[in-house]
Amino acid sequence: MPGAQVSEQAVVGDGSTVWELAQVRENAQLGAECVVGRGAYVGAGVRIGARCKLQNHALVYEPAVLGDGVFVGPAVVLTNDRAPRAVDPDGALKQAGDWEAVGVTVAEGASLGARSVCVAPVRIGRWAMVAAGAVVTADVPDFALVVGVPARRIGWVGRAGLRLRPLPGRPGEWECPRTGARYVEEAARGDEASAATVTLREETPMR
């Protein structure tokens, strides 16, 4: 749209819209049918999948990677520096090569609520939901609902975005109240074990 700043080196997929005052930096990649809201920022080399929505004033700093169908709410911040300083220990202004950027990865279908902050390096799992105002400092499992500062899991959500309800008499099994899809808790394995003790997997498809 008029007033948007989109680098000639950026790739913007078919059907995508970049609104006024938004900035998409060089070598950024947006998939098809994305919406980048007013005043949003997409850093150099950031990769964004198809059908993603970045609401007004969202800040997605490089080297973030977003999967397909990701929702980034108003004024969300995806950081890229674990130990930010303007100057080095001697007081000299830091330059671009004086630090190593670390990114946030947001998997397919996940949602980041308004004014939430993801402190890199973290991974937001598939279809997870981060509540408004939360500060994420550790990886979030697939389908997890996290809130607070620092963010902690308080439940599970399904693909429809609604909080899952437990199945009576079936511990560790959950159902989406809208779609009827069922989910089963599992103990985390491998690298995931350090981030969460329980994960969720889809057991049955939507009705």
Side-chain angles (χ1 to χ4, degrees):
M1 303 297 289
Q5 300 178 37
V6 180
S7 168
E8 293 183 358
Q9 285 76 48
V11 176
V12 178
D14 292 343
S16 290
T17 302
V18 181
W19 287 91
E20 63 178 344
L21 302 181
Q23 184 178 18
V24 180
R25 294 281 305 279
E26 58 275 11
N27 301 316
Q29 299 179 34
L30 274 67
E33 300 180 78
C34 290
V35 177
V36 178
R38 188 178 191 274
Y41 175 83
V42 178
V46 166
R47 289 183 289 146
I48 297 175
R51 299 175 301 283
C52 292
K53 288 189 174 184
L54 277 62
Q55 301 291 72
N56 294 355
H57 303 290
L59 305 178
V60 180
Y61 291 104
E62 66 277 5
V65 177
L66 280 59
D68 293 342
V70 168
F71 176 87
V72 181
V76 166
V77 181
L78 275 58
T79 74
N80 65 355
D81 192 348
R82 191 70 177 185
R85 293 290 196 203
V87 296
D88 65 22
D90 296 325
L93 182 67
K94 275 190 166 185
Q95 304 299 318
D98 292 337
W99 61 288
E100 182 178 352
V102 290
V104 174
T105 299
V106 186
E108 175 193 12
S111 295
L112 310 178
R115 292 192 178 276
S116 60
V117 177
C118 296
V119 181
V122 291
R123 178 186 184 274
I124 311 300
R126 297 171 51 249
W127 302 98
M129 184 170 289
V130 176
V135 177
V136 179
T137 59
D139 290 355
V140 175
D142 296 349
F143 302 103
L145 171 62
V146 299
V147 304
V149 181
R152 66 194 186 282
R153 186 178 70 81
I154 63 166
W156 302 107
V157 292
R159 289 178 181 246
L162 299 182
R163 193 164 180 172
L164 301 180
R165 60 190 179 197
L167 287 173
R170 303 178 71 169
E173 297 189 31
W174 303 79
E175 182 179 59
C176 175
R178 176 178 294 171
T179 67
R182 292 190 176 184
Y183 301 79
V184 177
E185 290 182 359
E186 296 180 326
R189 298 187 300 272
D191 293 339
E192 295 178 348
S194 61
T197 57
V198 178
T199 61
L200 201 70
R201 65 176 171 83
E202 293 175 285
E203 180 72 5
T204 61
M206 297 181 291
R207 287 198 292 260

